[in-house]
Amino acid sequence: MSLADRHPGRATAVAPANIAFVKYWGALDLDRAIPRNPSISMTLSQCVSRTTVEVLAGTGADEVLLAASDDSPPAPAPEAFAGRVRGHLDAIRRWGGGEAAGLRFRVTTANSFPAAAGMASSASGFAALAVAAAAALGRRPDGPELSALARASGSGSAARSTLGGYVEWPAPGSPPEDPRAVQLAPADHWDLRDVIAVVESGPKEVSSLAGHRLAPTSPHFARRQELLPDRLDRVRRAIRGRDVELLGETIEEEAIELHLVAMSSRPSVFYWTPGTLEVLAAVRQMRREGIAAWATMDAGANVHVIVPAADEPAVADALGSLTPVGRVVRDGVGTGPIVVGDDAERGR
Ligand code: PMV
């Protein structure tokens, strides 16, 4: 009798998105998500993916279901998405070894925020899949091992979403062939908020995978590599010393540089919209008025405005009043993924 027949495992995990302070952009090995440079991020708490993994009895293909939101019914996922999930499940089966290697799964997932719009839905989604699948197999890998399992999805930023607080990936000294994440500081070290001005909620035209592939074609890519060690150091110091000015000016400079590299890639990759520029101007205006608000953007048009907790309400109001901003998501540093259900949940 197989593991699936005897004791079908099931687990649900909730994993957060993260916002990169120093970005992963360009890979040494894109298929295995081996990054060209280290990155540092803040794990969020409200933008999450909730994923259930069930071991199915019998043979056949994995089933992948996607719900538009937490309370809408799941439906078969579009093939492009389902294909990436199956690829990640293959890696999880290899990691599980033994009987796990022959199992098939049903994966049901929902995001609390717009997917594929530069809001790290792949990071939270694949982190949640790694955590839920490991739990469904009765395994509890430690943080570094979990980060490697999430990275096996092909999404490097997913490695950072397996830990809470402030996270660096790869950890200094991590084997280049097996880059693992490390927590620089826990969430309660520094209560920073991320006020997200959503100017675009549809899927972006160019995936981050395509962006990584094109990055080295930019004439600015090589120069970026020279500048990064100092920038990484400034971000580490800013986090350690809770220095919002140092952090803010460094992450805004970094975000602009990422987009400069994207825009100057051949062919050019353009994520910004007029709405992005309007939000950036509003953030500069806030700073002139004495608010410590700093902007960063991942591979998308939406602007993440990083602020100390006390400034969050005023910044959220100001951003919400801008015409191109369809929605403001108020998020902040979070503690990382959790398993919310396991075998005990079966039969409910
Ligand atoms: O993890 P990926 O392959 O989705 O790439 C992430 C790319 C950025 O979001 C732009 C940067 C980052 O480090 O999160």
Side-chain angles (χ1 to χ4, degrees):
M1 201 188 255
S2 76
L3 175 63
D5 296 328
R6 196 169 62 235
H7 190 64
R10 171 194 158 113
T12 298
V14 175
N18 66 77
I19 178 64
F21 289 166
V22 177
K23 318 286 184 182
Y24 158 41
W25 200 241
L28 294 173
D29 179 342
L30 191 55
D31 294 334
R32 297 170 56 222
I34 310 282
R36 179 70 179 73
N37 64 274
S39 54
I40 297 177
S41 57
M42 176 172 91
T43 298
L44 300 180
S45 73
Q46 301 304 309
C47 292
V48 296
S49 298
R50 183 188 177 90
T51 298
T52 300
V53 172
E54 292 163 77
V55 176
L56 297 176
T59 54
D62 299 313
E63 292 176 23
V64 184
L65 305 172
L66 183 62
S69 67
D70 249 353
D71 43 15
S72 52
E79 195 36 49
F81 177 83
R84 280 199 77 185
V85 169
R86 287 195 198 101
H88 194 193
L89 289 174
D90 287 341
I92 290 168
R93 279 186 274 261
R94 281 194 296 277
W95 168 82
E99 258 185 296
L103 294 177
R104 70 187 189 105
F105 299 98
R106 178 185 296 125
V107 174
T108 310
T109 192
N111 290 328
S112 68
F113 59 96
M119 291 176 68
S121 59
S122 60
S124 57
F126 289 118
L129 183 56
V131 175
L137 294 173
R139 303 269 293 264
R140 293 280 189 279
D142 65 10
E145 188 176 3
L146 203 49
S147 75
L149 196 59
R151 177 186 61 82
S153 64
S155 168
S157 54
R160 298 190 311 247
S161 271
T162 58
L163 295 166
Y166 300 87
V167 179
E168 178 161 351
W169 171 76
S174 187
E177 282 304 294
D178 186 17
R180 296 182 171 209
V182 66
Q183 186 183 65
L184 294 177
D188 62 7
H189 168 73
W190 196 9
D191 187 6
L192 281 182
R193 304 293 165 88
D194 178 7
V195 184
I196 309 166
V198 181
V199 295
E200 200 61 68
S201 57
K204 58 197 177 201
E205 277 171 27
V206 182
S207 68
S208 44
L209 283 179
H212 290 301
R213 196 170 293 121
L214 290 172
T217 67
S218 163
H220 303 290
F221 185 72
R223 178 71 181 132
R224 167 171 169 72
Q225 306 311 316
E226 292 168 9
L227 296 171
L228 277 172
D230 174 60
R231 194 174 293 148
L232 284 156
D233 205 50
R234 277 189 279 150
V235 169
R236 290 185 199 108
R237 262 193 293 133
I239 291 171
R240 208 178 309 127
R242 299 186 197 89
D243 184 337
V244 74
E245 297 292 325
L246 178 62
L247 180 78
E249 60 189 34
T250 313
I251 67 173
E252 205 168 292
E253 156 193 311
E254 160 67 3
I256 291 168
E257 189 179 273
L258 172 124
H259 286 269
L260 168 80
V261 168
M263 288 174 200
S264 56
S265 295
R266 310 280 187 263
S268 170
V269 180
F270 228 94
Y271 292 112
W272 291 8
T273 65
T276 310
L277 288 166
E278 197 169 325
V279 175
L280 288 177
V283 171
R284 281 197 298 277
Q285 180 57 29
M286 285 177 206
R287 286 207 292 274
R288 283 193 284 272
E289 291 163 9
I291 297 177
W294 301 87
T296 183
M297 295 75 65
D298 278 346
N302 298 321
V303 184
H304 295 246
V305 183
I306 305 301
V307 290
D311 290 322
E312 182 197 329
V315 169
D317 281 354
L319 294 175
S321 70
L322 300 174
T323 313
V325 176
R327 186 152 83 99
V328 171
V329 178
R330 293 169 67 159
D331 210 331
V333 65
T335 51
I338 50 166
V339 176
V340 292
D342 53 23
D343 284 355
E345 210 184 48
R346 268 183 305 132
R348 268 193 208 164

